[in-house]
Each structure stands twice: as structure tokens, then as C-alpha cells.
Amino acid sequence: MEDLRLSPLKLGSFKSSLSGRSTPRGSPTLRKVHSGRTPRREGKGSGGAVQWFRSNRLLYWLLLITLWTYLGFYVQSRWAHDDDNKVEFLRFGGKLREDVLHVEQNKRRDLVADESSLAVVDNTNIVHLGVNKRMHVTLAKKEDSTSRRSVSPRRRTRKASRSSRTRIRSTQKVRKVMETKELDEQDQELPNINVTYGKLFGPFGSLEDRILEWSPQKRSGTCDRKSDFKRLVWSRRFVLLFHELSMTGAPISMMELASELLSCGATVYAVVLSRRGGLLQELTRRRIKVVEDKGELSFKTAMKADLVIAGSAVCASWIDQYMDHHPAGGSQIAWWVMENRREYFDRAKPVLDRVKLLIFLSEVQSKQWLTWCEEDHIKLRSQPVIVPLSVNDELAFVAGVSSSLNTPTLTQEIMKEKRQKLRESVRTEFGLTDKDMLVMSLSSINPGKGQLLLLESVALALEREQTQEQVAKRNQSKIIKNLNGIRKEKISLSARHRLRGASRKMKITSPAVDNHPSVLSATGRRKLLLSDNVTQKQDLKLLLGSVGSKSNKVAYVKEMLSFLSNNGNLSNSVLWTPATTRVASLYSAADVYVTNSQGVGETFGRVTIEAMAYGLPVLGTDAGGTKEIVEHNVTGLLHPVGRAGNKVLAQNLLFLLRNPSTRLQLGSQGREIVEKMYMKQHMYKRFVDVLVKCMRP
């Protein structure tokens, strides 16, 4: 009876299950009906996970949305901060338009060319980047070849036509970019060879290492462990903002500040707005971390820092963008302005009242900027601080000035002896004698520095010197003729008394002999004049730098070379040297330094105090920070700006050429002032005020 009652149930259950209308497949009834059959395979180990995901679809979709959001943020951040990988992101999905690929390849060819041209500057990082860029282009070509096979012939022809048009446009753009680069870069149009400049010498870094038996690579930190500066910066984070990496005053000063912070136990990051110049290798050698970009990543790095120090008025655009992302960021920015021209003020004035503190280099610069702020009704958040630059330890060490690099085996006296050997070796390379006066001017070559006016002054001085030599020769010839006439007259007088007696003759002969010394003394005087003219003969030589600097103005350099070609004698007196940070040998070889900055003058003049540290008298313009540093007739001689100052500068050059003792006296006075006011400890003592006012507690 039980079996008869169960059979209809089994049959109904089986039929309903076949029809698929009532019993679910996973129900206990279905499993019971099919218990006599072979078990069905529902999955290979992952069926349970799949069913779990299907039953929890909300979690599934949340996970999918999270992954998609992360991928989107990742792609966007890489796109914004890594231009080298844009080709990879453009081919997202397996397809990449041929025209886009071609444009990117053209860009990469330019980048590879740029990096290869900079390989001399940085033999580690830049060459490595160039290899990576070539790898990216090759991979893009290989991966895209598979996707092109599936493209129809019609689409292929359309893409070919688009790529040809894009190729023309891209080549035109590349030409325009190259033309603009040639205007900025010195090396493209003016090769750094003797054919271009006539006489090009240096750099002398290897010569310095050999003679001094010391190199900057041997330095192991110069921080004064007992100073307030070290106490304030220890274990703090700093971001230093470089507007470029040229070998000029502002970037070099910021680099040395970064080195000092590192040696005192701080963490330092460098944000570089333009990598134009040759300091990247030096930053790497000093272990200064350079932030990869100047956008989001640099903003995030700055937000985590205790203090941001901007090193130029050109940094205004970055400061403005940073405060747009982080409105409270102005309270942690100290702006070290190193320019003193109106165009730089106009660029910086939108954000001058938003930063915490302004730092200036000189009293003249501070007064000028405060006057401009009053005219434009700009109210600063705090009173500016004046922090003059200083002579770094390396140059002071070679100059024989007391520094933190001195050791018992390398005392000041020993370094003075080594510097004298270095001077002799470099002057031998230049082809100079001990009597020649080498006048030097090291700076970027542009109209604001006044190198062309300096050439005109040197030409005028040489012309006056030649004129005076000709006058001196004519005077000497007249003197010789007069002496010869006097001698003949004395001989004729002696002949008149020849008829006198023997005794009388002997008595007269003795006066004749007595008169001979007077004749001989006149002849001796003539020989003395001639020999004196030979021994006192000195040549004036001019050494100009910095050849190859990215801050040079090519048109201005060409104008100078044209002026030299039109004055053949002047070109024999002009020497050139490339841009370099190893300038101790040049200061050691020089006798006089000239800073001929025009307009409002030099903001401060870092090279001025460096030359004074080496005992060189300074001939500078009576403007800007130069007149604060150089005291007229005490440490140097001043002259007016413009062409009106050419005659005065020429007179000053001739005066120092004829008075070597005066050169030494002016130079020794300047060295004493540098030791009292412009050494490293003086600058960082003033920097303590900046840290106290700006840095987070």
C-alpha cells in the first residue's frame, strides 16, 4: 500500500520536474527523484564561489565599481604626471590610431634628441631616461602591429590619409619647437669651440683636483652642530623651489641651501620648474631629491613640508597654483626673491600678499620692491627680511679663508700655497706672464650684464695704452737726440783746448774724464729708460664666461662676436671659458674682477663677494647691490651705468694696470670685509629669523 501511494507522487514529481514549472532543480524533492541516477557535475571546485557571487550581486557590483574607480584614478594620475607613458594609455582597449602613434613617436624622437644632447651634463639619470623612452616607442610599435591586422582595407586607407596629414602638421610643429629651442639654447647655433670664440679655455676641475689634492666629492657635511640653524632644521621637511637649473646665482644659491639643510639633518625635496641648465647632475651628486613633476605630486609634497622656500620671482605661477589647491599653503611659504626688475615684480604681484614672508638680498632691493608694492596698493603679510648671500665653504677653503673644511693637514697657510701653484698653472694654460693683468667677468651673457659695454671699455683702454706708448716712444727718441747733441757739444769743446800745453792738456783731460761720467750717466739714463719700458710693459687680458650657459642670449653673443671681428687687435686680448661650478681656479688666476650690470644694477652680486674673497679688486657699476658691497677707493672702483661709464671704466682699468701695488691693497681690503660680513655663518644666522617666523611649531 505504501509503495502504491508513493509511486504516483514520484511520477508526478518527475513529470513536473521535466516540465520545469513547479519543482526547482536544487530542491530536496528533485534530488530524491534523481537519487538513482548518475550525479550531475555542477562545477570544478569554483561552482560554490560563483553561486555565492550570484546570490550576492550587490557585493559583486560594489567590487566591480571599486576596481573601475581605482583604474580610472590610476590612469588619470599617470596621464597627468608621466608624459612618457601616454602612448600606452592611448592604446587602452587594444586599438591605437596611427596618427596618434605617429605624433607620439615624433615627440619621443625630440625627447631622445634632447636627452642625448644633455648626456654630457648627466651621464647617469638622463641617459637612462633616454633608453627608457626608446623602449616605450618600440613596445608601442610591436603591440600595435597585432591590432592593425584586424582593420579592414577601407579603414586602413582612411587612417593612412589621416596619418599623412597629421605627419605634416607634426613635422611643422617639431620645426617650430626646434626654432624656439635654438633661440634659447646656446649650443645649437654657437658651438663651444675655438672656431666660434677664438680662445676657449677650461674648465679646470681636474687641474684643481690634482694640485689641491682635494675635490668637492670628498666633503662630508659642513653643518655647524652647535648653531641655532641646525637646532631648528633638524628632522624637519623642506621643499625648495628652483625656477631653473642654470649655473647662475639663484639656482646655485638654492642648491647650496639644500646641501646645508641636508647636512644639518633635514629632509629636502627640490621642485624644478624648468630643467634647463647643467645642475641636475650636481643635485644628484649631493643627494638632493628632485620631485618628478611640478604639478599634483609637487603640491602633495609641499603640503607635507614644514616650510616651502621659493628661490626666484619666476616661481609665482607655481605658488598661485599651489594655493589654489591648498588655500592655507601661503602660511608655509618663504619667498626668497633674487631679482630686482619691474617685469619680475609684475609677474609676482598677484601672490605677494598671500605668502608668509618675503626675503630680499640687499637694502636697495628691499626698498625698491616696497615702493612698487605701495604704488600698486599691495599690503604684505609681514615685514620683509634681508638675507645676503655668502661665499660657500668650498671657495673659501681654496681661497685660504677659514672654513669648516679646514683640517690639520689642510690649513689656511697650506691652501694659500696650493692656490699660488694653481694660479701659475692656469695662467700658463692661458699663455699669460706674471706681468700681465687678467680681468675677469663671470656671468650669463645677456644685455643686463653689460659684457658688450665691457668689450668697448677694454678696446678704449687698449687704444689709449697704444697711444701713450707711441707718445712715450717719441719722447724717448727726442731725449736720445738731445743726449747725443750734448755729447757732441762736449766733444767739440774738448777739441778747442787741444792746442794747450801738455801740463795744461793733462789738467784739462781730467775734467774731460770727469765730464765722461756725466756723458755716461746720460747714456746710462737712456738705457735705463729703455730697459724700464721693457720691464714695465704689461698686457691687458679679458676673460669672459659663461660660454654655453642656458641663460645666455644668442643674439647678444653674436653681437659681441661681431664686435670682436671688427676689432682684430681686441680679439687677441679676449679669452673665453665655459659655464661651470668649478670656478676656484679662475678666481685664483685673475687679477681684477668686473661686474658691469646695467639698468638698476645687480640685485646683490654673489660673484662680487667671491672675487673679494680671493683678494681681487672689483670694478663695478654704481647701482644696485654692488654699491652696497664695493666701497669706492677702498675695495674697488665704481663707474656709471650705460655707455657713459665706458670712459670711466677704461680709465680704471688703465689705472690698475699701471699700479699693481694698488690692486693688492684694494684686494686685501675686500678680503677683510668678506671675512667679517659675507661668510656662511653670517648668512645662516640671518636665516634663523626666517625659520622662526615661517616654520610650523
Side-chain angles (χ1 to χ4, degrees), residues 399-435:
V401 180
S402 177
S403 70
S404 60
L405 298 177
N406 288 118
T407 62
T409 57
L410 294 174
T411 60
Q412 294 178 240
E413 290 73 18
I414 294 176
M415 293 309 300
K416 288 180 181 179
E417 296 176 359
K418 291 181 179 292
R419 182 166 67 92
Q420 183 62 30
K421 294 180 181 178
L422 182 62
R423 172 185 169 85
E424 295 172 357
S425 300
V426 176
R427 290 177 71 90
T428 302
E429 292 279 343
F430 288 150
L432 304 177
T433 64
D434 294 336
K435 298 295 183 180

Side-chain angles (χ1 to χ4, degrees), residues 496-507:
R496 290 177 187 176
H497 298 283
R498 232 179 342 185
L499 299 175
R500 297 185 180 181
S503 59
R504 182 75 176 165
K505 186 177 180 181
M506 291 299 297
K507 290 181 181 179

Side-chain angles (χ1 to χ4, degrees), residues 188-200:
Q188 298 264 339
E189 293 190 8
L190 298 174
N192 299 339
I193 55 178
N194 287 332
V195 176
T196 305
Y197 294 93
K199 298 179 181 179
L200 185 65

